[in-house]
Amino acid sequence: MLQFLFEYGSTIVYFGIAILSIFFIYQYVFAAYKNNTELKKVLSQIKAKGEIEPNRRKDEFNAIFKATSLNHHWLEYQETLHDQFKVVDGEYVLDKTRATITAAAFFSQQNIIDSKISTELYKHLPGVLTGLGIIGTFIGLLYGLNHFEISDPTKIEQSVTGLLGAVEHAFYASATAIFVAMFVT
């Protein structure tokens, strides 16, 4: 098992970096792009409505949020809205709507962005990648040292070449992991 780890350590590290990178791109970057697109669409629809008559506001916002992932947040926020009426010509007319809780409590960064793209999970990814790179470096060094033969003078040159090759692969694995970690950050 140890021999397998020594011989394929750099490959295992590269594979780990590739898997983590794919998960990052798919579950974070693509999800963030999709979420950003949806938020921009909703915002542009809200801005396009301009000033809405008080008696039509809830219906207009229901229509905007209905087919989005924000609908749940809107419905919860809507429960905090209370209509205030005034008397006009002997008739109660909706004057304004007041919120008992701010919209920021429902439409916060944590609710709208962080939870959808798992930011808590991916905050630790650069450290994990750097750790993988360090492990790859040590595995490569151990592999090179394990195959270094100083007892036979005829094999010393060949051993040095093998050691330097193992060190080269180890440092490439580490550099790759650090580069990907910097990209993720």
Side-chain angles (χ1 to χ4, degrees), residues 28-135:
Y28 187 85
V29 174
F30 287 156
Y33 177 77
K34 181 180 174 187
N35 194 36
N36 186 42
T37 302
E38 181 180 54
L39 290 174
K40 284 182 178 179
K41 180 182 172 189
V42 168
L43 186 59
S44 69
Q45 288 176 346
I46 290 171
K47 286 181 179 180
K49 293 289 181 184
E51 186 64 32
I52 306 169
E53 295 176 28
N55 60 343
R56 292 184 32 234
R57 284 186 187 142
K58 287 182 185 177
D59 292 334
E60 294 287 338
F61 283 109
N62 282 334
I64 291 172
F65 287 111
K66 187 173 185 173
T68 69
S69 64
L70 303 171
N71 191 45
H72 174 72
H73 302 291
W74 163 249
L75 293 175
E76 284 188 350
Y77 176 63
Q78 188 179 9
E79 289 179 17
T80 70
L81 301 176
H82 298 284
D83 295 332
Q84 293 182 336
F85 297 89
K86 67 179 181 179
V87 178
V88 176
D89 296 330
E91 201 177 305
Y92 282 107
V93 176
L94 181 61
D95 182 35
K96 50 185 128 182
T97 303
R98 301 254 183 207
T100 56
I101 300 175
T102 64
F106 300 95
F107 295 97
S108 67
Q109 177 180 336
Q110 176 65 35
N111 292 340
I112 304 301
I113 299 169
D114 295 347
S115 63
K116 288 185 182 180
I117 58 176
S118 305
T119 55
E120 283 301 313
L121 172 68
Y122 290 106
K123 282 181 183 177
H124 304 289
L125 187 58
V128 170
L129 288 166
T130 303
L132 265 176
I134 291 168
I135 289 169

